[in-house]
C-alpha cells in the first residue's frame, strides 16, 4: 500500500483523491468569495501576473488544468480570439460547473472536460500553453501530472504553474499564525467548514518549495524553468518550456 500526504495526515494514496474531492465539494459554492477574503483580493493580482507572463496570442490553444471556477480560462478566452481555443478542465464536477456557468454568464462558450490531471484525455502536442493555478498541490502523483502536462504541450510550448510556495523566513511566523489560526476561522464563519481551510494551510506546508518544484519540472522534461516569487514567496509562478 502506498501512502501520501493529505495536509499533515498520511493517507492511503487511493484515499487522497476522494478526500480532496470532499474539500472542493464542500467549498465550491463559496469558493470565489473565500478566495477574495482569504487573500485580501491578492489572488486576483497573482492570476493577473500569470496571465501577463503567459502572453497568450490570438489563435493560441490553451489548456487550463484544475481550472475550477475559471478565473484563468476567462482571461485566456478573451485573448485567444475566434481562431484560438481555451479548454477548462477539473476533476471536480461542482467546481467545473461553476466555472462553466460563470463563463456562460459572460457570453463565452468554453469547452470543459471533467478529468484527472494525471490522465489527460488530449492528444500529444496539442496545446501552446498549459496552466495550473493552485491545483498541483492537491494532486496525488504530481510527477505523473507534470508528465501529462508536458506530453500535451507542443515543442516550444509553455507550462505555467501558479501555486503556494515557501514564504521568506522573516515572514514565516506571521504567516503560520494567519494560516493556522485566522484562516480556519474565516472558513468556519463563511462556509461552516473550518477543516477544509485547515487542509489548505497544511497542504501548502507539505508542497514542494520553489527549488524542489523546479527540479520536478525539469525531471518531467521541461528544458528551462523560470521561478517568479510573488508576495515574498507566499506564491510562486513556475514557467517551464518544453524543448
Ligand atoms: C484551489 S482550486 C483552484 C481553482 C482555480 N484554478 C483557481 O485558481 O481559482 C484547486 C482545484 O484543483 C482541482 N483538482 C484537484 N485534484 C485534481 C486532479 N487530480 N486533476 C484535476 N483537478 C484537480 C480541484 O477540484 C479544485 O477545483
Amino acid at each position: 500500500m502506498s501512502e501520501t500526504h493529505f495536509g499533515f495526515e498520511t493517507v492511503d494514496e487511493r484515499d487522497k483523491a476522494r478526500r480532496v474531492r470532499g474539500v472542493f465539494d464542500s467549498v465550491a459554492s463559496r469558493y470565489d468569495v473565500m478566495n477574495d477574503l482569504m487573500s485580501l483580493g491578492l489572488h486576483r493580482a497573482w492570476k493577473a501576473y500569470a496571465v501577463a507572463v503567459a502572453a497568450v496570442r490570438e489563435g493560441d490553444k490553451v489548456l487550463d488544468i484544475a481550472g475550477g471556477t475559471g478565473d484563468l480560462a476567462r482571461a485566456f478566452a478573451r485573448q485567444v480570439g475566434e481562431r484560438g481555443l481555451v479548454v477548462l478542465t477539473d476533476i471536480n464536477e461542482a467546481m467545473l460547473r461553476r466555472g462553466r456557468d460563470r463563463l456562460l454568464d459572460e457570453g463565452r462558450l468554453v469547452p470543459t472536460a471533467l478529468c484527472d490531471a494525471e490522465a489527460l484525455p488530449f492528444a500529444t502536442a496539442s496545446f501552446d500553453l498549459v496552466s495550473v493555478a493552485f491545483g498541483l498541490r492537491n494532486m496525488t502523483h504530481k510527477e505523473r501530472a507534470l508528465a501529462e502536462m508536458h506530453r500535451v504541450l507542443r515543442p516550444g510550448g509553455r507550462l505555467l504553474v501558479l501555486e503556494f510556495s515557501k514564504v521568506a523566513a522573516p515572514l514565516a511566523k506571521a504567516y503560520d499564525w494567519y494560516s493556522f489560526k485566522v484562516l480556519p476561522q474565516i472558513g468556519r464563519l463563511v462556509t461552516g467548514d473550518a477543516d477544509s481551510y485547515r487542509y489548505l494551510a497544511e497542504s501548502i506546508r507539505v508542497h514542494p518549495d520553489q527549488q524542489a518544484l523546479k527540479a520536478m519540472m525539469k525531471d518531467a522534461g521541461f528544458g528551462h524553468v523560470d521561478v517568479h516569487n510573488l508576495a515574498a514567496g507566499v506564491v510562486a509562478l513556475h514557467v517551464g518550456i518544453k524543448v
Side-chain angles (χ1 to χ4, degrees):
M1 181 182 78
S2 302
E3 291 182 326
T4 188
H5 290 294
F6 177 78
F8 288 165
E9 273 183 71
T10 301
V11 297
D12 184 337
E13 269 192 357
R14 289 165 301 182
D15 231 26
K16 174 158 173 165
R18 184 183 60 76
R19 303 272 301 263
V20 169
R21 188 177 329 120
V23 167
F24 289 103
D25 279 342
S26 160
V27 303
S29 63
R30 296 292 178 91
Y31 177 80
D32 295 309
V33 71
M34 274 303 286
N35 261 358
D36 279 334
L37 279 175
M38 285 179 327
S39 73
L40 305 170
L42 276 173
H43 76 104
R44 292 170 186 257
W46 297 329
K47 287 170 182 164
Y49 182 80
V51 170
V53 169
V56 161
R57 286 176 301 192
E58 226 188 311
D60 276 355
K61 294 188 169 50
V62 179
L63 175 65
D64 187 29
I65 293 179
T69 57
D71 283 346
L72 286 189
R74 220 159 79 240
F76 292 138
R78 290 184 192 126
Q79 296 173 336
V80 299
E82 297 277 290
R83 289 189 304 113
L85 171 75
V86 176
V87 184
L88 171 65
T89 70
D90 201 285
I91 201 172
N92 185 291
E93 200 177 334
M95 293 290 284
L96 192 62
R97 215 178 267 279
R98 286 191 79 79
R100 186 200 55 192
D101 290 352
R102 281 176 81 206
L103 281 151
L104 279 174
D105 287 346
E106 254 192 28
R108 290 184 195 283
L109 193 59
V110 164
T112 55
L114 188 67
C115 62
D116 186 344
E118 297 179 22
L120 292 171
F122 304 104
T124 298
S126 44
F127 292 96
D128 301 295
L129 183 95
V130 171
S131 58
V132 54
F134 305 109
L136 187 66
R137 197 182 66 246
N138 302 296
M139 294 170 194
T140 309
H141 306 99
K142 296 174 184 52
E143 289 85 357
R144 211 177 281 170
L146 289 170
E148 277 292 86
M149 297 175 202
H150 183 268
R151 180 183 66 77
V152 300
L153 274 171
R154 66 161 171 79
R158 285 168 307 145
L159 168 66
L160 263 63
V161 183
L162 186 65
E163 188 52 272
F164 293 106
S165 203
K166 192 167 172 82
V167 71
L171 293 182
K173 263 201 159 151
Y175 185 54
D176 278 352
W177 171 79
Y178 178 75
S179 310
F180 290 106
K181 298 281 183 231
V182 181
L183 208 64
Q185 291 312 319
I186 304 178
R188 189 176 56 77
L189 289 172
V190 179
T191 67
D193 174 7
D195 287 348
S196 291
Y197 288 91
R198 198 163 297 116
Y199 161 74
L200 167 67
E202 292 180 3
S203 66
I204 292 169
R205 300 313 188 279
V206 296
H207 187 66
D209 67 11
Q210 286 86 339
Q211 290 316 311
L213 179 55
K214 178 175 177 170
M216 284 170 74
M217 288 174 68
K218 289 207 151 195
D219 286 348
F222 290 94
H224 181 85
V225 180
D226 271 337
V227 184
H228 308 228
N229 275 310
L230 305 173
V234 169
V235 166
L237 174 68
H238 285 65
V239 183
I241 302 179
K242 176 171 177 174
V243 286

